[in-house]
Amino acid sequence: MVVLSASVCTRQGKALVSRQFVEMNRLRVEGLLAAFPKLVGHAKQHTYVETDSVRYVYQPLENNLYLLLVTTKASNIVEDLGTLRLLAKVVPDVAGGLQEHTINENAFELIFAFDEVLTAGGYKEEATLSSIRTNLIMDSHEEKIHKALQQSKEDAARAEMQKKAKTLQEQKMAQQRQTFLSGQAPSGSLGGMEGFGGGGAPSQGGMFDQFQGMEQQVPTQQEYNPYASLQKSAAPVATAPKVLAKSGMKLSMGKGGKKDSLMAAMAVEDNLLPVGGKGGGMDFGFGAPAVAPPPAAPSTPLSLILEEKISVNMNREGGVESCEVKGILNLTANTDVGAAAVITVNKSQLPSTFNYATHPKVDKKIYEQRGVLALKGGKAFPVARSVGILRWSYNNEDAAPISINCWPEDEGSGRITVSIEMELTRTDLVLHDVNILLPLGTTEPPAIESIDGQYKHDPNSGMMCWHFDIVDSNTNPNGSLEFSVAGNNSDAFFPIQIGFRSQTLLCPIAITGVTDSSSGSPVPNDISMSFVPDKYQCA
């Protein structure tokens, strides 16, 4: 059989869909279809008519539509009728109906279906309705595998992109915090929280000191200070010219000394304690604007420093997800007398929940028996060099001294209301200079609804600092802050960073004796303790 054309047409011979399988020009196709209404009869369901050149095999459909095959006169009429019956099932199945508008809407799908039944040249394929459906769907297992692999690659690339974007955002926020805390333009690598967190004593020059650095480095011209209302005024010298330490002009040493003496006198008058630090920080108003004195020369043969650092990660509801405490006992021999000393600690009273480790050069046997820290073989400690002789660590949620609960709520009007609660969870500690640093996601100042403690806002970095001078079981054991700020992204307020300093350790370690290794006589010494956060955040 050879089918020249397969069409769906109206009673008047108007072609809705027509597919040619041999080379035919448009005029001939339109002429054959226009002649069909004049030749068609009315009495037959499946019928055909012939002309001198072609044969019309047709079947009436609903709504005065016809399914029409134009074949050669030599074509097998039986096969043509079988093809006609198959196409009569295909048309409503593909088009979804036998209305003229559905035929027009699915014209291309019908042409594809005709191509599944008849090949180029007009020959019938061995096809069924189900196989035609499958072929039209073009479902391919290999294609599915390819698409799955492609999708997995896209998902991996998207995840990597989001991870890098998050890393860049964290680095950007860290840089902003560093700029905010140091009061200087950022330099060097991004990231890190230098300038934030609690440090040790002021003479240690820790990160807390950078955060608390005062007016030893201030501009030569009077700058706008948004925190002036929280500072204690000392007229008329409060507006005296100030000096930039790392940029701009510097006053002579003599003038600087007079200014520093004046500021120190003001601090004493206002009963403010100096909090010095290395470098020069931005003036946040949370301390005395006095220059820290240079560290004094050691007055004892031996200096001992017990230091603990805590790393905490909290969720936004205040739950502690990870908490680690690391402590170290550092010894510095200032003289030969101090180098020959041995240290005794209250080992028998130390809790087993902490992990302890001595320096490899320390005689561990003597320590385990008597709690004495001394070098093996009776050797002396190095002079004028700090060495760590004992370490301890603790991993448990109950070590976190402060919990933060932050709830940003979108008001739907372009502003976000933020409610934050702070609670002291370790009532055995006394925390000084507690600073809770919040990113705002905008440079606009927040509108404070209620607050316990004090706050400062830096418009350049879009950061706000919530401050308490002291937090313990009697003073500010908990506090709340509520404010609103422009924005619509509740994630912009995280991570929240927390800084403080304390002279109370979590580990109840104590120095019970410092004696000479030979004579057993007491060795004069000075002991200092510090507990500060290494990384304390709520994200």
Side-chain angles (χ1 to χ4, degrees):
M1 60 168 285
V2 176
V3 177
L4 304 179
S5 175
S7 307
V8 178
C9 62
T10 64
R11 173 74 179 177
Q12 292 76 27
K14 173 186 175 183
L16 302 180
V17 176
S18 182
R19 175 61 167 158
Q20 285 63 249
F21 299 97
V22 296
E23 191 68 29
M24 298 174 64
N25 59 45
R26 179 176 178 178
L27 291 177
R28 187 182 178 197
V29 174
E30 291 179 346
L32 292 172
L33 295 178
F36 169 69
K38 302 174 183 177
L39 302 173
V40 67
H42 300 279
K44 297 180 181 180
Q45 284 293 322
H46 301 283
T47 185
Y48 66 93
V49 292
E50 292 184 355
T51 64
D52 294 339
S53 58
V54 297
R55 178 189 297 147
Y56 296 93
V57 182
Y58 64 93
Q59 178 178 337
L61 303 175
E62 298 176 5
N63 302 316
N64 292 324
L65 298 180
Y66 284 86
L67 178 60
L68 175 63
L69 297 181
V70 181
T71 69
T72 60
K73 293 183 67 175
S75 177
N76 189 328
I77 186 63
V78 176
E79 290 187 1
D80 292 342
L81 291 174
T83 303
L84 187 67
R85 286 192 293 270
L86 179 58
L87 290 178
K89 297 176 183 178
V90 168
V91 171
D93 184 74
V94 173
L98 293 174
Q99 292 79 24
E100 187 172 337
H101 68 89
T102 60
I103 300 296
N104 290 329
E105 290 173 358
N106 298 277
F108 283 102
E109 286 78 6
L110 288 172
I111 289 175
F112 296 149
F114 289 172
D115 288 344
E116 295 296 328
V117 178
L118 297 166
T119 65
Y123 297 97
K124 184 177 182 296
E125 288 275 12
E126 292 297 330
T128 62
L129 184 59
S130 60
S131 66
I132 294 172
R133 289 174 180 168
T134 302
N135 293 339
L136 290 178
I137 294 174
M138 293 186 293
D139 192 12
S140 171
H141 180 65
E142 290 76 8
E143 183 182 7
K144 286 183 178 179
I145 294 177
H146 173 74
K147 288 184 177 180
L149 291 175
Q150 189 71 18
Q151 186 65 35
S152 64
K153 291 180 181 179
E154 292 178 359
D155 293 342
R158 189 177 297 107
E160 183 68 19
M161 176 188 67
Q162 293 175 352
K163 181 180 179 181
K164 289 188 176 182
K166 183 178 179 181
T167 302
L168 292 174
Q169 181 67 17
E170 291 176 352
Q171 291 177 344
K172 181 179 178 182
M173 295 302 296
Q175 183 186 25
Q176 290 179 347
R177 284 191 288 269
Q178 185 179 15
T179 305
F180 173 73
L181 298 173
S182 64
Q184 303 166 4
S187 61
S189 59
L190 298 178
M193 277 304 298
E194 287 138 6
F196 180 81
S203 62
Q204 300 299 320
M207 291 187 293
F208 176 81
D209 298 330
Q210 293 185 14
F211 186 81
Q212 293 290 344
M214 290 293 113
E215 288 178 315
Q216 63 190 55
Q217 299 174 0
V218 286
T220 53
Q221 296 181 354
Q222 180 66 30
E223 292 183 332
Y224 168 69
N225 185 1
Y227 319 134
S229 60
L230 294 179
Q231 300 177 6
K232 295 183 179 181
S233 59
V237 294
T239 58
K242 303 175 183 180
V243 183
L244 272 175
K246 293 190 178 181
S247 63
M249 297 178 61
K250 296 184 178 179
L251 298 180
S252 64
M253 185 61 71
K255 295 182 179 179
K258 293 180 180 179
K259 183 176 295 298
D260 294 341
S261 300
L262 179 60
M263 290 183 177
M266 290 167 52
V268 173
E269 180 181 352
D270 289 336
N271 197 23
L272 295 176
L273 295 178
V275 183
K278 62 182 181 180
M282 185 175 180
D283 182 8
F284 295 96
F286 293 141
V291 178
S299 59
T300 59
L302 189 68
S303 299
L304 296 172
I305 300 176
L306 295 99
E307 182 180 14
E308 280 185 343
K309 292 186 177 182
I310 185 171
S311 298
V312 178
N313 286 315
M314 293 186 298
N315 56 36
R316 301 182 182 184
E317 290 74 33
V320 178
E321 296 182 348
S322 65
C323 179
E324 182 180 25
V325 178
K326 292 184 178 180
I328 187 170
L329 169 57
N330 285 310
L331 177 150
T332 303
N334 302 316
T335 64
D336 292 337
V337 175
V342 294
I343 317 301
T344 305
V345 299
N346 57 338
K347 182 182 180 305
S348 60
Q349 301 175 6
L350 296 180
S352 58
T353 53
F354 283 77
N355 298 318
Y356 305 92
T358 57
H359 192 281
K361 293 184 178 181
V362 171
D363 194 330
K364 188 173 183 180
K365 184 177 180 180
I366 299 178
Y367 169 75
E368 294 292 342
Q369 292 175 351
R370 296 181 291 163
V372 175
L373 295 166
L375 296 184
K376 295 177 181 178
K379 295 180 179 180
F381 292 103
V383 178
R385 182 163 63 89
S386 177
V387 292
I389 57 176
L390 179 65
R391 291 180 178 178
W392 60 91
S393 63
Y394 182 73
N395 292 275
N396 206 332
E397 298 178 359
D398 60 357
I402 290 179
S403 67
I404 296 292
N405 187 3
C406 181
W407 288 82
E409 297 180 4
D410 192 349
E411 297 180 357
S413 59
R415 295 189 68 82
I416 294 180
T417 298
V418 182
S419 300
I420 306 177
E421 293 180 346
M422 179 278 297
E423 181 181 2
L424 178 68
T425 56
R426 293 292 301 251
T427 55
D428 56 327
L429 298 179
V430 178
L431 307 181
H432 297 273
D433 296 312
V434 177
N435 297 288
I436 301 170
L437 191 64
L438 299 95
L440 301 179
T442 178
T443 58
E444 296 186 12
I448 304 299
E449 304 293 338
S450 62
I451 184 173
D452 296 324
Q454 298 174 299
Y455 87 97
K456 294 292 180 291
H457 172 247
D458 180 50
N460 295 326
S461 61
M463 310 293 290
M464 183 174 74
C465 181
W466 185 21
H467 174 83
F468 294 91
D469 291 332
I470 186 172
V471 172
D472 60 17
S473 58
N474 298 319
T475 307
N476 302 316
N478 51 61
S480 63
L481 167 63
E482 183 176 353
F483 65 91
S484 63
V485 68
N488 52 22
N489 181 16
S490 59
D491 293 332
F493 301 95
F494 299 93
I496 300 173
Q497 303 286 340
I498 304 171
F500 56 84
R501 62 183 177 90
S502 176
Q503 295 180 353
T504 308
L505 302 181
L506 291 175
C507 179
I509 187 172
I511 308 296
T512 58
V514 180
T515 58
D516 187 85
S517 58
S518 300
S519 63
S521 59
V523 175
N525 61 88
D526 60 80
I527 301 175
S528 63
M529 295 186 293
S530 69
F531 172 50
V532 297
D534 185 33
K535 181 181 180 182
Y536 205 124
Q537 69 176 13
C538 172

